[in-house]
Amino acid sequence: MAMLIISSSSYYSIASETSDEEPPSFYGNRSVTQHKPEQKTPEIRFQRRAVAPPITIENDIPTSAESQESKSTTENTFETKGLSLAKPVTIPLTRQELILANKARYYIERNWNSDTGLIDSVQGYPHSTMWDIASSLAALLALDALKLMPSNEASFKIEKTLSTLANFPLYNGKLPNREYNTQTALPSGRFSKSKSNGNGWSALDIGRLLIWLHVTSKMKPQFSEQINQIITKWDLSAAIHNKTLYGELKTRTGRVYRQEGRLGYLQYAATGFKLYGYNVSEAFSKNNIKQINVSNVPLLIDTRNLPFFTTDPHALSAIELHMRDSWWNQLDELYQLHHEYYKRTGKSWVFAEDAMSHSPWFSYNNIYFYGTPWLSTSAGGKPIENPQVFSNKIAISLSVLFDDEFSSMIKKQVINNSLGLRSVPTGTYDNNAPNQAFNINTNSLVLVSLWFKTRNYRSIIDVVNEHDSNS
């Protein structure tokens, strides 16, 4: 019998149908002491990728009327960094990178549903969240840009995805449900067949989707009106309260509406809402933040409950949004921590959130969690035995964001992990066994990271600006 591999959101959708447990979430209303960072981050001692100096495009992204400040101040700013005045350089992929990209392309082709335009979140499991749909759009745009898919085919597939998005039955008529069936485009999970059309929405997932809807509208302007109609149909204001992100969860006893997102994830997702003109300034405040040290590397942590802390949002923000120097983006510190861990132990760990090929089916491989560094947990916060310790998707993203022996080594490890497989697998467990929970997020980020490289290590938002200026 073939083993069914499912993601965390999918797992909890099934679990909640058959048990009394409510799925855990980023939600939290716990009283915490607010802290401010106590010391400055030391100078990072490794080599970033060299990129052309950016210029600021002042009017491309809507910003709030409140004052915006730099990383050294108390409030985040999102400025679209444009291109240098010099002609951009295109960097070709190596033979091994091209093989890796084609493996990622195979995942997209195999798991694409022609009736709905949706891609299975995990191979063999026909469901998708808004986060997964964002990864699907990103993968299609990257395949087009890398010339691994004909442009007209990519456009056809994107149009099919957008048409399905426009016709999703919305949760309580407001926002997309947390998950949809990729074969029917109907809500899936708990309460999917009730009048509510599901069990709530994830503001984090919607925020990521907004980022890639924005990118799609710029890279494929023929879809801008269709995307505007989708955005207008959705009540995005329902996911914002007190200038930060809120999600809703329907339970057996009622509906829970609480703040959603922790440090890193919150700011990344809030940027999606900001791109469409929403005031989410509180999401970028330094409330609920404390500074700690892990192996003499100072890190900022979120003091609220379930403070999942992975490398994902920091790497995504750098590759997609040119937000590497925001106060909350700890990409340099996290890379240093991974590098130092390797030098100390000889183990090339790369911690991230990922699907798993066995129970609990999804893990947050946390840099730090409730006082413990390098702790992998389920979505409910329980430690995982034999966790994944190497994430292929984050390793390949770090390899294009940094330029040293460690970044080259982890890229080679991703390539080796993929040998003999049609798609890029998820990663490696602590016992060196492969994690072959093939999924959209891994294969999408491989493609986007390589797209980032070919554009001379410039973020996707920079590419968007270039495309806009040439249109």
Side-chain angles (χ1 to χ4, degrees):
M1 180 182 294
M3 178 170 58
L4 181 63
I5 301 172
I6 55 180
S7 65
S8 67
S9 55
S10 308
Y11 168 72
Y12 282 107
S13 296
I14 293 175
S16 59
E17 294 278 10
T18 57
S19 73
D20 292 331
E21 276 191 44
E22 290 296 345
S25 70
F26 279 109
Y27 295 167
N29 213 17
R30 188 172 64 175
S31 298
V32 295
T33 303
Q34 297 179 359
H35 300 272
K36 294 184 178 180
E38 300 171 355
Q39 64 187 70
K40 294 182 179 179
T41 301
E43 182 180 354
I44 304 299
R45 296 168 295 174
F46 46 80
Q47 182 63 49
R48 290 184 176 194
R49 290 284 179 184
V51 295
I55 58 175
T56 301
I57 306 298
E58 296 181 353
N59 298 318
D60 188 58
I61 304 298
T63 58
S64 67
E66 301 178 14
S67 62
Q68 304 291 320
E69 300 175 346
S70 67
K71 185 172 182 177
S72 61
T73 58
T74 59
E75 190 170 333
N76 175 73
T77 179
F78 179 68
E79 295 178 314
T80 301
K81 298 299 185 180
L83 309 173
S84 70
L85 296 178
K87 185 177 180 179
V89 176
T90 300
I91 300 176
L93 298 180
T94 67
R95 177 180 175 276
Q96 289 181 323
E97 289 170 339
L98 187 58
I99 291 173
L100 206 61
N102 275 298
K103 289 177 183 288
R105 175 178 59 84
Y106 179 79
Y107 181 90
I108 306 305
E109 293 176 344
R110 173 172 178 171
N111 294 280
W112 160 267
N113 188 290
S114 59
D115 292 331
T116 63
L118 301 179
I119 299 173
D120 294 352
S121 59
V122 179
Q123 190 162 292
Y125 190 71
H127 299 271
S128 183
T129 66
M130 297 306 105
W131 188 286
D132 302 327
I133 292 173
S135 293
S136 300
L137 290 172
L140 292 171
L141 290 170
L143 286 169
D144 189 351
L146 293 170
K147 302 188 185 307
L148 296 177
M149 179 179 287
S151 187
N152 61 344
E153 181 182 349
S155 295
F156 169 80
K157 290 181 183 297
I158 289 171
E159 194 280 331
K160 191 73 174 177
T161 304
L162 295 176
S163 294
T164 294
L165 273 177
N167 291 290
F168 269 159
L170 300 179
Y171 169 75
N172 279 341
K174 291 184 177 181
L175 289 167
N177 184 46
R178 292 170 178 270
E179 193 175 35
Y180 287 82
N181 186 294
T182 56
Q183 298 173 350
T184 65
L186 295 176
S188 57
R190 194 168 194 182
F191 306 117
S192 58
K193 297 180 181 179
S194 68
K195 292 182 179 180
S196 65
N197 285 321
N199 66 337
W201 71 77
S202 167
L204 294 184
D205 289 9
I206 292 171
R208 171 163 167 76
L209 179 56
L210 291 175
I211 290 170
W212 280 100
L213 286 174
H214 172 81
V215 173
T216 302
S217 69
K218 298 297 183 180
M219 296 299 294
K220 300 278 187 181
Q222 67 268 35
F223 299 131
S224 59
E225 182 57 34
Q226 189 175 9
I227 290 171
N228 286 337
Q229 291 175 359
I230 293 171
I231 299 301
T232 301
K233 183 178 180 180
W234 295 352
D235 184 9
L236 293 174
S237 62
I240 300 172
H241 180 64
N242 292 332
K243 301 179 183 178
T244 191
L245 301 188
Y246 271 62
E248 183 165 307
L249 180 67
K250 182 178 180 180
T251 69
R252 296 184 306 276
T253 57
R255 288 152 47 186
V256 181
Y257 183 69
R258 293 178 183 167
Q259 189 276 325
E260 183 176 321
R262 299 294 177 256
L263 183 63
Y265 284 99
L266 173 59
Q267 292 77 18
Y268 169 71
T271 301
F273 287 86
K274 194 170 184 181
L275 284 167
Y276 284 92
Y278 288 88
N279 184 348
V280 286
S281 56
E282 182 58 27
F284 298 98
S285 75
K286 291 187 177 180
N287 296 330
N288 308 308
I289 302 302
K290 177 183 178 181
Q291 183 165 292
I292 60 159
N293 282 280
V294 176
S295 300
N296 295 320
V297 177
L299 296 173
L300 301 178
I301 63 168
D302 202 306
T303 58
R304 290 168 288 191
N305 69 322
L306 292 176
F308 299 121
F309 184 3
T310 75
T311 314
D312 297 70
H314 308 276
L316 291 174
S317 297
I319 286 178
E320 298 174 4
L321 300 169
H322 206 137
M323 297 184 73
R324 187 168 185 156
D325 294 319
S326 303
W327 71 264
W328 56 268
N329 191 312
Q330 303 182 80
L331 180 66
D332 288 351
E333 291 83 356
L334 294 176
Y335 184 78
Q336 181 183 15
L337 192 64
H338 282 92
H339 195 182
E340 293 293 334
Y341 187 83
Y342 169 72
K343 289 191 291 185
R344 187 172 70 253
T345 67
K347 297 178 180 179
S348 53
W349 283 11
V350 178
F351 265 37
E353 65 164 72
D354 272 308
M356 296 179 67
S357 55
H358 56 71
S359 179
W361 309 114
F362 191 92
S363 64
Y364 288 95
N365 303 299
N366 297 288
I367 301 299
Y368 185 89
F369 192 76
Y370 287 134
T372 303
W374 306 108
L375 182 64
S376 298
T377 69
S378 68
K382 295 181 180 179
I384 293 175
E385 191 173 338
N386 187 31
Q388 177 184 282
V389 294
F390 187 92
S391 170
N392 287 330
K393 75 179 192 301
I394 294 301
I396 199 69
S397 69
L398 293 177
S399 78
V400 300
L401 288 164
F402 296 92
D403 186 14
D404 58 17
E405 290 183 3
F406 182 66
S407 67
S408 297
M409 183 191 69
I410 60 177
K411 182 176 78 170
K412 290 179 183 177
Q413 190 164 339
V414 174
I415 293 168
N416 290 336
N417 289 346
S418 305
L419 291 176
L421 300 171
R422 297 296 302 271
S423 302
V424 181
T426 307
T428 307
Y429 293 116
D430 193 24
N431 65 357
N432 292 321
N435 176 8
Q436 294 186 10
F438 299 101
N439 65 87
I440 180 60
N441 290 312
T442 294
N443 288 275
S444 175
L445 189 49
V446 166
L447 291 168
V448 173
S449 296
L450 295 176
W451 179 16
F452 172 88
K453 176 198 170 174
T454 64
R455 300 305 299 171
N456 196 19
Y457 306 103
R458 292 172 302 137
S459 70
I460 303 307
I461 205 72
D462 291 342
V463 179
V464 164
N465 291 336
E466 177 194 10
H467 189 273
D468 243 4
S469 64
N470 292 335
S471 297

